[in-house]
Amino acid sequence: MAATAHHTFNSEDLLKRILSSLDEDKAEDVTQIDLRGKTSIGDYMVVASGRSTRQVSAMAGKLCEKLKQDFGIS
């Protein structure tokens, strides 16, 4: 799902990709918090943990790369 200059996406698209990436990387205790209408900083907050600092760091790096590739977000 590569983003183009004309592709628009919404917070639900981002949430799905984030949850999918965390699932692929075997994140633990994944929780999503719906912030819509409660704050202007974002629509969702996702919290997850891993078995080690190294795994969490790798998950974060992969997630950043996937969001950059799919949505042009860095």
Side-chain angles (χ1 to χ4, degrees):
M1 164 192 331
T4 65
H6 303 291
H7 177 72
T8 59
F9 55 90
N10 58 36
S11 58
E12 285 78 20
D13 295 331
L14 288 170
L15 178 63
K16 286 178 191 174
R17 188 61 181 114
I18 290 166
L19 294 174
S20 172
S21 179
L22 292 173
D23 184 58
E24 290 169 11
D25 291 336
K26 306 210 182 331
E28 298 178 352
D29 303 321
V30 179
T31 302
Q32 67 184 56
I33 303 167
D34 189 344
L35 299 175
R36 293 175 292 177
K38 297 178 181 141
T39 181
S40 61
I41 65 164
D43 291 336
Y44 298 97
M45 179 185 299
V46 177
V47 181
S49 62
R51 291 180 300 280
S52 67
T53 302
R54 185 175 178 167
Q55 181 197 18
V56 171
S57 179
M59 285 189 300
K62 287 180 184 178
L63 178 59
C64 287
E65 286 303 314
K66 290 173 184 175
L67 293 179
K68 184 186 240 181
Q69 179 183 11
D70 293 352
F71 298 102
I73 297 171
S74 55

